[in-house]
Amino acid sequence: TIIEGRNSRKRRRDDEEKDDGEEYMSLSSYGGKGENGVDEDDAPSLQPPWHKPRKPGASPLTVLHNEILRFCDLISPTQAEEDSRAEVVSDIRALVKKVWPEAELFVYGSTLTGLCLPSSDLDFAVLGVDEPGLKPLHTLADKLRQSGLVNFLEVIDSAKVPIIKVIHSQGQIAADISFNLPDGIHTGWMIRDYCEDFPLLRPLLLLLKYFLSQRELNETYPSGGVGSFLLQIMVVSFLQHRRRSDLARGVASNYNLGAALLDFFDLYGRKFSYPTVGISVRGDGSYFQKHDRRWSYPGKPHLIAVENPINDSIDIGRNAFNVVAVRRAWEHAYLVLVAALCGPMEAFPSILSNVIRVDQVLIQREMPEEPRFTIKLPPPPQPRDRIGTFLKGTTAGGDDLPNSDKRGEQKPPAQHKKRRY
Protein backbone atom coordinates (compact mmCIF):
# COMPACT_ATOMS: atom_id res chain seq x y z
CA THR A 1 0.00 0.00 0.00
CA ILE A 2 1.21 3.48 -0.87
CA ILE A 3 0.35 6.03 1.83
CA GLU A 4 -0.08 9.62 0.66
CA GLY A 5 0.54 12.48 3.09
CA ARG A 6 -1.89 14.79 1.30
CA ASN A 7 -2.57 17.27 4.08
CA SER A 8 1.10 17.84 4.79
CA ARG A 9 1.76 18.12 1.06
CA LYS A 10 -0.97 20.73 0.72
CA ARG A 11 0.55 22.76 3.57
CA ARG A 12 3.93 22.63 1.88
CA ARG A 13 2.48 23.75 -1.45
CA ASP A 14 0.58 26.59 0.18
CA ASP A 15 3.89 27.62 1.72
CA GLU A 16 5.55 27.60 -1.69
CA GLU A 17 3.15 30.27 -2.91
CA LYS A 18 3.85 32.55 0.06
CA ASP A 19 7.23 34.01 -0.60
CA ASP A 20 7.73 37.51 0.67
CA GLY A 21 11.50 37.41 0.37
CA GLU A 22 13.53 35.43 -2.16
CA GLU A 23 12.59 35.66 -5.82
CA TYR A 24 11.35 32.33 -7.20
CA MET A 25 13.47 31.09 -10.11
CA SER A 26 11.08 29.99 -12.84
CA LEU A 27 11.94 26.67 -14.48
CA SER A 28 10.97 27.92 -17.92
CA SER A 29 13.08 31.07 -17.72
CA TYR A 30 16.05 29.69 -15.80
CA GLY A 31 19.22 29.82 -17.83
CA GLY A 32 18.69 33.37 -19.07
CA LYS A 33 20.58 36.51 -18.09
CA GLY A 34 19.79 38.91 -15.32
CA GLU A 35 18.54 38.62 -11.76
CA ASN A 36 18.92 34.85 -11.52
CA GLY A 37 22.71 35.09 -11.79
CA VAL A 38 24.75 34.22 -8.72
CA ASP A 39 27.16 36.69 -7.21
CA GLU A 40 29.85 34.57 -5.59
CA ASP A 41 31.06 37.55 -3.56
CA ASP A 42 27.80 37.48 -1.60
CA ALA A 43 28.44 34.00 -0.22
CA PRO A 44 30.57 33.34 2.87
CA SER A 45 33.66 31.32 2.08
CA LEU A 46 32.55 28.47 4.33
CA GLN A 47 29.29 27.99 2.43
CA PRO A 48 28.86 25.66 -0.57
CA PRO A 49 29.63 27.10 -4.02
CA TRP A 50 25.94 27.30 -4.93
CA HIS A 51 25.05 29.20 -1.76
CA LYS A 52 23.35 32.57 -1.94
CA PRO A 53 22.40 34.43 1.25
CA ARG A 54 18.80 33.85 2.27
CA LYS A 55 16.55 36.87 2.47
CA PRO A 56 14.38 37.40 5.55
CA GLY A 57 10.87 36.10 4.98
CA ALA A 58 11.86 33.86 2.09
CA SER A 59 9.94 30.60 1.84
CA PRO A 60 12.32 27.75 2.78
CA LEU A 61 10.96 25.64 -0.11
CA THR A 62 11.68 28.46 -2.54
CA VAL A 63 15.20 28.75 -1.13
CA LEU A 64 15.70 25.00 -1.63
CA HIS A 65 14.25 25.18 -5.16
CA ASN A 66 16.71 27.92 -6.10
CA GLU A 67 19.62 26.09 -4.47
CA ILE A 68 18.87 23.00 -6.57
CA LEU A 69 18.93 25.07 -9.76
CA ARG A 70 22.24 26.67 -8.78
CA PHE A 71 23.62 23.22 -7.91
CA CYS A 72 22.68 22.10 -11.43
CA ASP A 73 24.53 25.15 -12.73
CA LEU A 74 27.62 24.09 -10.82
CA ILE A 75 27.75 20.51 -12.09
CA SER A 76 26.61 21.16 -15.66
CA PRO A 77 29.42 20.74 -18.21
CA THR A 78 31.40 23.82 -19.07
CA GLN A 79 32.05 24.67 -22.71
CA ALA A 80 35.59 23.35 -22.35
CA GLU A 81 34.27 20.06 -20.95
CA GLU A 82 31.76 19.75 -23.77
CA ASP A 83 34.51 20.41 -26.32
CA SER A 84 36.72 17.72 -24.75
CA ARG A 85 33.90 15.18 -24.87
CA ALA A 86 33.13 16.12 -28.47
CA GLU A 87 36.78 15.52 -29.37
CA VAL A 88 36.62 11.99 -27.95
CA VAL A 89 33.46 11.27 -29.93
CA SER A 90 35.04 12.61 -33.11
CA ASP A 91 38.26 10.60 -32.69
CA ILE A 92 36.55 7.28 -31.92
CA ARG A 93 33.95 7.80 -34.66
CA ALA A 94 36.65 8.50 -37.24
CA LEU A 95 38.54 5.34 -36.26
CA VAL A 96 35.38 3.21 -36.46
CA LYS A 97 34.64 4.61 -39.93
CA LYS A 98 38.18 3.86 -41.03
CA VAL A 99 37.83 0.20 -39.99
CA TRP A 100 34.19 -0.28 -41.06
CA PRO A 101 33.06 2.42 -43.54
CA GLU A 102 29.43 1.22 -43.44
CA ALA A 103 29.20 1.22 -39.64
CA GLU A 104 28.15 4.07 -37.37
CA LEU A 105 29.15 5.11 -33.85
CA PHE A 106 26.17 6.15 -31.70
CA VAL A 107 26.46 8.00 -28.41
CA TYR A 108 24.00 7.09 -25.68
CA GLY A 109 23.89 7.17 -21.86
CA SER A 110 24.11 10.48 -20.01
CA THR A 111 25.34 12.34 -23.09
CA LEU A 112 22.15 11.45 -24.96
CA THR A 113 19.84 12.04 -22.00
CA GLY A 114 21.48 15.34 -20.97
CA LEU A 115 22.25 13.99 -17.49
CA CYS A 116 26.04 14.26 -17.42
CA LEU A 117 27.83 14.63 -14.11
CA PRO A 118 31.46 15.78 -13.94
CA SER A 119 32.49 12.13 -13.53
CA SER A 120 30.28 10.70 -16.27
CA ASP A 121 31.79 8.37 -18.85
CA LEU A 122 30.93 8.32 -22.53
CA ASP A 123 28.88 5.39 -23.80
CA PHE A 124 29.25 4.26 -27.42
CA ALA A 125 27.37 1.66 -29.43
CA VAL A 126 28.82 0.67 -32.81
CA LEU A 127 26.06 -0.51 -35.15
CA GLY A 128 26.27 -1.97 -38.63
CA VAL A 129 29.32 -4.22 -38.16
CA ASP A 130 28.62 -7.50 -39.96
CA GLU A 131 31.17 -9.68 -38.18
CA PRO A 132 30.50 -12.64 -35.88
CA GLY A 133 30.88 -12.88 -32.11
CA LEU A 134 33.69 -11.02 -30.38
CA LYS A 135 35.76 -10.42 -33.49
CA PRO A 136 34.81 -6.73 -33.94
CA LEU A 137 35.52 -6.08 -30.25
CA HIS A 138 39.12 -7.28 -30.55
CA THR A 139 39.60 -5.71 -34.00
CA LEU A 140 38.71 -2.26 -32.70
CA ALA A 141 40.78 -2.80 -29.55
CA ASP A 142 43.86 -3.53 -31.68
CA LYS A 143 43.25 -0.42 -33.80
CA LEU A 144 42.83 1.74 -30.71
CA ARG A 145 46.13 0.48 -29.28
CA GLN A 146 47.90 1.31 -32.53
CA SER A 147 46.28 4.73 -32.90
CA GLY A 148 47.68 6.37 -29.77
CA LEU A 149 44.24 7.84 -29.01
CA VAL A 150 43.98 6.12 -25.63
CA ASN A 151 46.30 5.66 -22.68
CA PHE A 152 44.19 2.92 -21.08
CA LEU A 153 42.36 0.04 -22.74
CA GLU A 154 40.64 -3.04 -21.35
CA VAL A 155 38.60 -5.59 -23.26
CA ILE A 156 35.87 -7.19 -21.16
CA ASP A 157 34.68 -10.01 -23.40
CA SER A 158 33.28 -12.37 -20.75
CA ALA A 159 30.54 -10.04 -19.51
CA LYS A 160 26.88 -10.30 -20.48
CA VAL A 161 27.48 -7.19 -22.58
CA PRO A 162 31.06 -7.33 -23.91
CA ILE A 163 32.69 -3.90 -24.01
CA ILE A 164 35.95 -2.07 -24.56
CA LYS A 165 36.84 0.34 -21.75
CA VAL A 166 39.18 3.16 -22.74
CA ILE A 167 40.51 6.47 -21.44
CA HIS A 168 41.20 9.11 -24.06
CA SER A 169 44.79 10.29 -23.95
CA GLN A 170 44.01 14.00 -24.37
CA GLY A 171 41.03 14.77 -22.16
CA GLN A 172 41.43 11.77 -19.82
CA ILE A 173 37.78 10.99 -20.46
CA ALA A 174 36.64 7.40 -19.97
CA ALA A 175 34.43 5.64 -22.49
CA ASP A 176 32.74 2.26 -22.93
CA ILE A 177 32.27 0.80 -26.43
CA SER A 178 29.86 -2.01 -27.33
CA PHE A 179 28.78 -3.54 -30.66
CA ASN A 180 25.40 -4.07 -32.32
CA LEU A 181 23.36 -3.37 -29.18
CA PRO A 182 20.83 -0.57 -29.81
CA ASP A 183 18.91 -0.93 -26.52
CA GLY A 184 20.77 1.89 -24.79
CA ILE A 185 19.98 4.25 -27.64
CA HIS A 186 16.27 3.42 -27.41
CA THR A 187 16.15 3.98 -23.67
CA GLY A 188 18.11 7.22 -24.04
CA TRP A 189 15.51 8.68 -26.39
CA MET A 190 12.74 7.46 -24.10
CA ILE A 191 14.29 9.35 -21.16
CA ARG A 192 14.63 12.46 -23.33
CA ASP A 193 10.89 12.19 -24.04
CA TYR A 194 10.16 11.98 -20.34
CA CYS A 195 12.40 15.00 -19.64
CA GLU A 196 10.35 17.04 -22.09
CA ASP A 197 7.10 15.81 -20.54
CA PHE A 198 8.17 16.44 -16.92
CA PRO A 199 10.16 19.68 -16.42
CA LEU A 200 11.22 18.59 -12.92
CA LEU A 201 12.76 15.33 -14.11
CA ARG A 202 16.16 16.50 -15.36
CA PRO A 203 17.18 18.65 -12.34
CA LEU A 204 15.88 16.01 -9.91
CA LEU A 205 17.86 13.27 -11.66
CA LEU A 206 21.08 15.31 -11.69
CA LEU A 207 20.75 15.96 -7.97
CA LEU A 208 19.76 12.40 -7.04
CA LYS A 209 22.53 10.88 -9.17
CA TYR A 210 25.07 13.01 -7.31
CA PHE A 211 23.42 12.19 -3.96
CA LEU A 212 23.80 8.45 -4.60
CA SER A 213 27.30 8.84 -6.04
CA GLN A 214 28.52 10.55 -2.87
CA ARG A 215 27.30 7.55 -0.87
CA GLU A 216 28.66 4.98 -3.35
CA LEU A 217 25.14 3.70 -3.96
CA ASN A 218 24.90 4.66 -7.64
CA GLU A 219 26.15 1.43 -9.22
CA THR A 220 24.31 -1.88 -9.44
CA TYR A 221 27.60 -3.71 -9.93
CA PRO A 222 29.33 -4.39 -7.61
CA SER A 223 27.66 -2.39 -4.83
CA GLY A 224 24.04 -3.40 -5.45
CA GLY A 225 22.96 0.24 -5.55
CA VAL A 226 20.48 2.07 -7.75
CA GLY A 227 21.99 2.59 -11.21
CA SER A 228 21.12 5.41 -13.59
CA PHE A 229 18.35 3.67 -15.55
CA LEU A 230 16.65 2.30 -12.44
CA LEU A 231 16.79 5.74 -10.80
CA GLN A 232 15.37 7.38 -13.94
CA ILE A 233 12.36 5.07 -14.00
CA MET A 234 11.75 5.52 -10.26
CA VAL A 235 11.72 9.31 -10.62
CA VAL A 236 9.48 9.14 -13.72
CA SER A 237 7.01 6.95 -11.78
CA PHE A 238 7.08 9.39 -8.86
CA LEU A 239 6.27 12.31 -11.17
CA GLN A 240 3.53 10.38 -12.97
CA HIS A 241 1.71 9.62 -9.72
CA ARG A 242 2.30 13.16 -8.46
CA ARG A 243 0.69 14.57 -11.60
CA ARG A 244 -2.23 12.13 -11.31
CA SER A 245 -2.79 13.14 -7.68
CA ASP A 246 -2.86 16.81 -8.69
CA LEU A 247 -5.38 16.14 -11.46
CA ALA A 248 -7.61 14.09 -9.18
CA ARG A 249 -7.73 16.93 -6.64
CA GLY A 250 -8.21 19.58 -9.28
CA VAL A 251 -5.06 21.52 -8.40
CA ALA A 252 -2.44 22.93 -10.74
CA SER A 253 0.80 20.99 -10.97
CA ASN A 254 3.49 22.51 -8.84
CA TYR A 255 7.02 22.92 -10.20
CA ASN A 256 8.86 23.68 -6.98
CA LEU A 257 11.95 21.47 -6.96
CA GLY A 258 12.30 21.70 -3.20
CA ALA A 259 8.82 20.29 -2.63
CA ALA A 260 9.37 17.59 -5.26
CA LEU A 261 12.67 16.50 -3.71
CA LEU A 262 11.09 16.30 -0.27
CA ASP A 263 8.15 14.29 -1.62
CA PHE A 264 10.53 11.92 -3.45
CA PHE A 265 12.56 11.23 -0.30
CA ASP A 266 9.32 10.80 1.65
CA LEU A 267 7.87 8.30 -0.85
CA TYR A 268 10.86 6.05 -1.46
CA GLY A 269 12.46 6.56 1.94
CA ARG A 270 9.41 6.15 4.19
CA LYS A 271 6.16 5.19 2.49
CA PHE A 272 6.75 2.90 -0.49
CA SER A 273 6.02 -0.77 0.21
CA TYR A 274 9.07 -2.48 -1.28
CA PRO A 275 8.00 -6.03 -0.29
CA THR A 276 4.62 -5.92 -2.08
CA VAL A 277 4.45 -3.17 -4.72
CA GLY A 278 6.07 -2.98 -8.16
CA ILE A 279 6.48 -0.03 -10.53
CA SER A 280 5.49 0.42 -14.17
CA VAL A 281 5.81 3.66 -16.17
CA ARG A 282 4.00 2.38 -19.26
CA GLY A 283 1.13 4.61 -20.33
CA ASP A 284 0.56 7.10 -17.55
CA GLY A 285 2.24 4.89 -14.96
CA SER A 286 0.87 2.40 -12.46
CA TYR A 287 1.70 0.17 -9.52
CA PHE A 288 1.19 -3.60 -9.43
CA GLN A 289 1.43 -6.40 -6.90
CA LYS A 290 4.84 -8.07 -7.06
CA HIS A 291 3.45 -11.55 -6.51
CA ASP A 292 1.17 -11.17 -9.56
CA ARG A 293 4.29 -10.90 -11.73
CA ARG A 294 6.23 -13.51 -9.74
CA TRP A 295 8.76 -10.83 -8.88
CA SER A 296 8.80 -11.65 -5.18
CA TYR A 297 12.11 -13.46 -4.77
CA PRO A 298 12.59 -16.01 -1.96
CA GLY A 299 14.55 -14.56 0.92
CA LYS A 300 14.72 -11.12 -0.71
CA PRO A 301 11.46 -9.33 0.09
CA HIS A 302 13.19 -5.96 0.29
CA LEU A 303 14.11 -5.77 -3.42
CA ILE A 304 12.39 -3.13 -5.51
CA ALA A 305 10.48 -4.43 -8.55
CA VAL A 306 10.57 -2.10 -11.56
CA GLU A 307 9.33 -3.07 -15.00
CA ASN A 308 11.62 -2.29 -17.92
CA PRO A 309 9.42 -0.11 -20.19
CA ILE A 310 11.28 -1.37 -23.27
CA ASN A 311 10.79 -5.05 -22.33
CA ASP A 312 8.11 -5.66 -19.71
CA SER A 313 9.39 -9.15 -18.89
CA ILE A 314 12.51 -7.68 -17.26
CA ASP A 315 12.67 -6.47 -13.66
CA ILE A 316 15.40 -3.83 -13.67
CA GLY A 317 15.36 -3.61 -9.85
CA ARG A 318 16.18 -7.26 -9.25
CA ASN A 319 19.96 -6.79 -9.01
CA ALA A 320 19.83 -3.75 -6.73
CA PHE A 321 20.41 -5.94 -3.68
CA ASN A 322 21.55 -3.00 -1.54
CA VAL A 323 18.36 -1.00 -2.05
CA VAL A 324 17.75 -1.13 1.73
CA ALA A 325 20.79 1.13 2.21
CA VAL A 326 19.46 3.43 -0.52
CA ARG A 327 16.06 3.60 1.16
CA ARG A 328 17.69 4.44 4.50
CA ALA A 329 19.75 7.18 2.86
CA TRP A 330 16.59 8.68 1.36
CA GLU A 331 14.73 8.40 4.65
CA HIS A 332 17.56 10.16 6.48
CA ALA A 333 17.67 12.86 3.78
CA TYR A 334 13.93 13.47 4.25
CA LEU A 335 14.29 13.91 8.01
CA VAL A 336 17.32 16.18 7.64
CA LEU A 337 15.57 18.33 5.04
CA VAL A 338 12.46 18.68 7.20
CA ALA A 339 14.64 19.84 10.09
CA ALA A 340 16.45 22.34 7.87
CA LEU A 341 13.23 23.65 6.31
CA CYS A 342 11.60 24.12 9.71
CA GLY A 343 14.69 25.36 11.55
CA PRO A 344 15.91 28.95 12.02
CA MET A 345 17.55 30.60 9.02
CA GLU A 346 20.73 31.29 11.02
CA ALA A 347 21.21 27.58 11.75
CA PHE A 348 20.62 26.49 8.14
CA PRO A 349 21.98 29.15 5.78
CA SER A 350 22.14 26.49 3.04
CA ILE A 351 19.37 23.90 3.05
CA LEU A 352 20.67 21.73 0.22
CA SER A 353 24.12 21.26 1.80
CA ASN A 354 22.45 19.14 4.48
CA VAL A 355 22.02 16.34 1.93
CA ILE A 356 24.74 17.17 -0.63
CA ARG A 357 28.22 17.20 0.87
CA VAL A 358 30.64 19.79 -0.49
CA ASP A 359 33.30 17.38 -1.76
CA GLN A 360 36.51 18.02 -3.68
CA VAL A 361 34.79 17.75 -7.05
CA LEU A 362 32.36 20.53 -6.15
CA ILE A 363 35.05 22.68 -4.52
CA GLN A 364 37.18 22.54 -7.66
CA ARG A 365 34.33 23.64 -9.92
CA GLU A 366 33.64 27.30 -10.48
CA MET A 367 30.16 28.71 -10.12
CA PRO A 368 29.28 30.35 -13.46
CA GLU A 369 28.65 34.06 -13.53
CA GLU A 370 25.51 33.40 -15.55
CA PRO A 371 23.35 30.26 -15.32
CA ARG A 372 24.37 27.57 -17.81
CA PHE A 373 21.83 24.93 -16.77
CA THR A 374 18.51 25.07 -18.59
CA ILE A 375 15.42 22.89 -18.50
CA LYS A 376 15.69 22.66 -22.27
CA LEU A 377 17.65 19.57 -23.24
CA PRO A 378 20.99 19.98 -25.00
CA PRO A 379 21.07 18.93 -28.67
CA PRO A 380 21.32 15.15 -29.12
CA PRO A 381 24.67 13.69 -30.23
CA GLN A 382 23.02 12.27 -33.37
CA PRO A 383 19.61 12.61 -35.08
CA ARG A 384 16.85 10.43 -33.71
CA ASP A 385 15.95 8.82 -37.03
CA ARG A 386 19.57 7.92 -37.86
CA ILE A 387 19.38 4.66 -35.91
CA GLY A 388 16.62 3.27 -38.15
CA THR A 389 19.15 2.57 -40.92
CA PHE A 390 20.98 0.09 -38.70
CA LEU A 391 18.05 -1.77 -37.08
CA LYS A 392 16.92 -4.10 -39.83
CA GLY A 393 16.57 -7.52 -38.29
CA THR A 394 17.16 -6.37 -34.71
CA THR A 395 14.65 -6.28 -31.90
CA ALA A 396 16.17 -3.78 -29.45
CA GLY A 397 14.96 -5.49 -26.31
CA GLY A 398 11.54 -6.34 -27.67
CA ASP A 399 10.85 -2.97 -29.29
CA ASP A 400 12.16 -2.52 -32.81
CA LEU A 401 10.63 0.89 -33.42
CA PRO A 402 13.49 3.39 -33.72
CA ASN A 403 11.16 6.35 -33.24
CA SER A 404 8.87 4.84 -30.62
CA ASP A 405 7.83 6.93 -27.66
CA LYS A 406 7.52 5.72 -24.07
CA ARG A 407 4.04 4.30 -24.70
CA GLY A 408 5.25 2.10 -27.55
CA GLU A 409 3.58 4.17 -30.26
CA GLN A 410 5.40 5.33 -33.38
CA LYS A 411 6.22 9.00 -33.23
CA PRO A 412 8.35 10.78 -35.85
CA PRO A 413 10.80 13.35 -34.46
CA ALA A 414 8.95 16.22 -36.13
CA GLN A 415 5.85 15.45 -34.05
CA HIS A 416 7.66 15.57 -30.72
CA LYS A 417 5.30 16.95 -28.10
CA LYS A 418 6.10 20.42 -26.83
CA ARG A 419 4.78 21.90 -23.59
CA ARG A 420 5.17 25.30 -22.01
CA TYR A 421 5.63 25.76 -18.29
Side-chain angles (χ1 to χ4, degrees), residues 93-106:
R93 178 170 283 150
L95 185 60
V96 167
K97 280 291 188 182
K98 185 177 180 180
V99 180
W100 300 284
E102 301 303 319
E104 181 62 75
L105 182 85
F106 287 87

Side-chain angles (χ1 to χ4, degrees), residues 29 82 106 157 169 192 234 255 298 334 343 375:
S29 64
E82 290 180 352
F106 287 87
D157 56 10
S169 56
R192 284 183 70 95
M234 291 177 71
Y255 298 111
Y334 172 82
I375 295 301

Side-chain angles (χ1 to χ4, degrees), residues 109-413:
S110 60
T111 304
L112 175 56
T113 59
L115 297 168
C116 286
L117 296 180
S119 59
S120 293
D121 297 347
L122 284 163
D123 296 294
F124 297 135
V126 181
L127 303 184
V129 177
D130 190 16
E131 294 182 10
L134 300 173
K135 183 179 178 182
L137 200 74
H138 291 285
T139 298
L140 183 60
D142 290 340
K143 296 296 182 181
L144 284 165
R145 290 189 186 98
Q146 298 167 14
S147 69
L149 291 175
V150 300
N151 56 19
F152 171 84
L153 186 150
E154 180 183 8
V155 177
I156 304 177
D157 56 10
S158 60
K160 183 178 180 181
V161 178
I163 60 172
I164 305 171
K165 298 183 76 71
V166 299
I167 297 179
H168 193 263
S169 56
Q170 295 297 319
Q172 299 301 307
I173 296 172
D176 294 344
I177 309 170
S178 62
F179 280 82
N180 297 324
L181 293 172
D183 300 52
I185 307 167
H186 282 278
T187 57
W189 281 107
M190 180 185 66
I191 296 303
R192 284 183 70 95
D193 285 339
Y194 279 125
C195 285
E196 294 224 356
D197 201 20
F198 295 101
L200 298 180
L201 179 58
R202 187 164 170 245
L204 280 178
L205 281 172
L206 286 170
L207 179 70
L208 290 168
K209 282 179 67 175
Y210 206 90
F211 175 94
L212 292 176
S213 176
Q214 285 195 326
R215 291 154 180 82
E216 298 183 352
L217 294 170
N218 62 318
E219 298 287 348
T220 303
Y221 301 102
S223 63
V226 173
S228 293
F229 187 44
L230 176 56
L231 178 65
Q232 289 161 5
I233 299 304
M234 291 177 71
V235 179
V236 168
S237 173
F238 159 72
L239 293 174
Q240 286 175 329
H241 287 276
R242 198 170 189 258
R243 175 183 287 177
R244 184 181 298 111
S245 176
D246 290 342
L247 290 173
R249 292 181 293 124
V251 299
S253 293
N254 184 279
Y255 298 111
N256 183 292
L257 284 164
L261 181 65
L262 196 65
D263 284 347
F264 177 89
F265 285 147
D266 189 25
L267 173 63
Y268 288 118
R270 303 172 72 237
K271 294 177 178 175
F272 190 82
S273 179
Y274 289 79
T276 61
V277 177
I279 293 170
S280 172
V281 297
R282 286 178 172 252
D284 293 324
S286 62
Y287 294 129
F288 58 84
Q289 292 296 315
K290 288 172 66 173
H291 64 77
D292 290 344
R293 302 284 290 272
R294 297 184 178 179
W295 285 0
S296 296
Y297 308 110
K300 301 177 181 178
H302 62 279
L303 293 181
I304 187 167
V306 180
E307 175 191 88
N308 185 335
I310 298 295
N311 184 341
D312 62 6
S313 67
I314 297 175
D315 175 7
I316 61 175
R318 180 173 184 171
N319 294 316
F321 59 84
N322 205 18
V323 73
V324 171
V326 176
R327 182 190 63 77
R328 288 172 179 166
W330 285 338
E331 179 183 26
H332 180 259
Y334 172 82
L335 297 174
V336 168
L337 277 184
V338 169
L341 288 165
C342 298
M345 183 177 67
E346 297 77 14
F348 301 97
S350 168
I351 297 173
L352 184 60
S353 62
N354 290 279
V355 294
I356 296 292
R357 185 179 71 257
V358 182
D359 55 25
Q360 285 301 312
V361 173
L362 297 177
I363 290 173
Q364 292 171 5
R365 296 187 69 80
E366 292 186 6
M367 196 71 198
E369 294 182 2
E370 296 180 358
R372 59 174 170 244
F373 172 80
T374 63
I375 295 301
K376 182 179 178 181
L377 286 164
Q382 62 269 326
R384 183 172 194 151
D385 57 0
R386 177 66 175 150
I387 190 177
T389 307
F390 299 90
L391 288 185
K392 295 177 181 179
T394 66
T395 58
D399 182 355
D400 60 355
L401 303 175
N403 295 320
S404 63
D405 73 359
K406 52 190 171 287
R407 297 171 179 83
E409 303 166 351
Q410 283 193 331
K411 180 175 65 172

